[in-house]
Amino acid sequence: MTLQQIKYVIGVASCGSFNKASEKLYISQPSLTSSVHDLEDELGFAIFKRTSRGTTVTERGVDFLNEAKELYQRYEGIVKKYSVHEKKTFSVSALYYAFARKAFIQIVKDYSGTDYDFSFGEKKASDVIDDVAEGKSDIGILYLSETNREAISKHLESHSLQFHHLTECNAFVYLHKNHPLAKKQSLSLDELTPYRFVTFDTDDVKSFFSDDVIEKHALDKAITVADRSTELDLLEKLNGYTFLSGVFGEDQNDPTESFVLIPLKNPDGKISHSFELGYITKIGTHMDNICLIYIDAIRRFLNIAGFTC
């Protein structure tokens, strides 16, 4: 067993497929597959289960990965601590929030003359948590809701992560300005039923709604996209819709000014979808100055959007 093999296994588990992992790890897929197979042969059990739907981790693989991640994190910590030519890095993983992206761009501009490597990724909540836990990101941006709070809090605790409150926000329906429902003051799920739901990740829908509501309104049968531009195109061309927290912070030149946010009603008719927006860090980790400046930039963008933090 080598550290390289452990890195490959962690990469495949994180990406959910050998193909995506090979691109991320800059290795050919046959070489990656062969290396993982060799490790599985050495261990005597399968780490991954390959199906037509993708790659999942086996029960024994989960236990192995938990220990392997801890080992690899210790290795990376030693390399970072004792490397003679240590290079400064700043990395953020976030849900699909414009304010997080804009604050990051501001940081890159402000630190463009410094010796920093920058990284920003927009991902689903579980990947945001994993990135911070594994040391791939310094900060993660996500939210807690009544539906997901317990599960995410347990996930954070098991990874020794801490959630820091930024502000409260509400659920909105996101539509193109020419959508038939774009002039409504508020919207119910029943009114949205005739239209196509678009999302980055169907699992994130569970953060907004219960399983009963998801099944009743077929929200698990969404059009799933991988990037922002495709989502916006589908919302415009197919009269689609998606859900957002209402936290934006866009400027007037942003192309998304062609879209509108409309408050979402609860199934009982009340508008009370409430979420707690925040950021996550490792417990006990000292935040570098650049991290603090980034959080301050986020607060400024939220205030521009009309939110008090």
Side-chain angles (χ1 to χ4, degrees):
M1 183 190 310
T2 66
L3 286 168
Q4 189 77 299
Q5 287 175 313
I6 291 176
K7 179 180 179 180
Y8 290 163
V9 168
I10 293 173
V12 173
S14 175
C15 294
S17 81
F18 279 79
N19 185 41
K20 292 180 180 179
S22 66
E23 295 177 1
K24 187 174 182 179
L25 295 167
Y26 302 103
I27 182 177
S28 68
Q29 184 171 337
S31 297
L32 176 61
T33 302
S34 176
S35 181
V36 173
H37 279 164
D38 288 344
L39 177 57
E40 289 177 322
D41 289 342
E42 180 181 346
L43 295 174
F45 61 85
I47 301 173
F48 299 106
K49 179 180 179 181
R50 291 84 165 173
T51 68
S52 58
R53 295 183 178 181
T55 301
T56 59
V57 184
T58 64
E59 186 174 347
R60 292 196 69 184
V62 170
D63 293 334
F64 173 78
L65 269 168
N66 287 336
E67 295 193 48
K69 287 179 180 178
E70 291 181 7
L71 174 62
Y72 200 77
Q73 287 172 29
R74 290 198 297 270
Y75 161 72
E76 288 185 319
I78 292 173
V79 171
K80 183 176 181 180
K81 182 176 181 179
Y82 295 103
S83 175
V84 176
H85 303 289
E86 179 182 344
K87 191 173 183 66
K88 294 183 290 186
T89 63
F90 179 62
S91 178
V92 176
S93 290
L95 300 183
Y96 299 87
Y97 283 134
F99 70 84
R101 184 170 60 253
K102 287 177 175 291
F104 184 81
I105 292 172
Q106 185 62 54
I107 293 299
V108 174
K109 288 180 179 178
D110 292 344
Y111 282 79
S112 61
T114 62
D115 189 28
Y116 265 97
D117 277 343
F118 295 97
S119 174
F120 182 86
E122 294 181 319
K123 306 180 179 184
K124 60 184 182 181
S126 59
D127 289 337
V128 170
I129 293 172
D130 288 343
D131 278 358
V132 179
E134 295 168 13
K136 296 178 181 177
S137 292
D138 300 288
I139 292 176
I141 310 295
L142 45 72
Y143 65 84
L144 301 179
S145 69
E146 181 180 343
T147 307
N148 77 0
R149 183 178 295 274
E150 182 177 358
I152 287 188
S153 294
K154 288 182 178 178
H155 199 174
L156 294 175
E157 183 179 358
S158 67
H159 287 78
S160 299
L161 301 176
Q162 182 176 6
F163 180 88
H164 307 267
H165 172 84
L166 281 172
T167 189
E168 298 290 335
C169 47
N170 295 303
F172 284 72
V173 182
Y174 191 53
L175 307 166
H176 189 266
K177 65 180 181 181
N178 294 327
H179 192 285
L181 301 177
K183 302 299 182 182
K184 301 278 288 186
Q185 295 300 308
S186 62
L187 287 169
S188 67
L189 291 175
D190 288 333
E191 291 174 291
L192 294 168
T193 300
Y195 304 99
R196 297 302 300 271
F197 173 45
V198 183
T199 183
F200 287 103
D201 179 28
T202 53
D203 287 342
D204 283 346
V205 181
K206 297 178 181 178
S207 299
F208 284 90
F209 310 106
S210 66
D211 291 338
D212 291 341
V213 172
I214 290 173
E215 182 177 359
K216 177 182 177 181
H217 296 278
L219 297 177
D220 54 345
K221 310 237 176 352
I223 300 176
T224 304
V225 298
D227 61 87
R228 185 68 164 165
S229 61
T230 301
E231 180 192 46
L232 297 179
D233 197 41
L234 289 172
L235 295 184
E236 178 181 1
K237 302 296 174 53
L238 297 183
N239 280 332
Y241 70 93
T242 192
F243 301 108
L244 293 176
S245 66
V247 181
F248 248 59
E250 306 288 359
D251 58 43
Q252 294 182 348
N253 296 321
D254 196 295
T256 53
E257 66 180 353
S258 297
F259 296 81
V260 296
L261 286 166
I262 301 175
L264 175 67
K265 295 179 182 177
N266 268 349
D268 61 6
K270 298 178 181 179
I271 304 174
S272 60
H273 288 286
S274 180
F275 303 88
E276 182 183 6
L277 181 72
Y279 62 96
I280 59 173
T281 59
K282 286 185 178 181
I283 293 176
T285 299
H286 173 73
M287 291 182 65
D288 292 339
N289 190 51
I290 192 171
C291 295
L292 297 175
I293 294 175
Y294 175 70
I295 296 302
D296 183 62
I298 283 180
R299 291 181 181 278
R300 283 188 277 109
F301 274 108
L302 292 178
N303 284 328
I304 288 172
F307 290 84
T308 301
C309 303

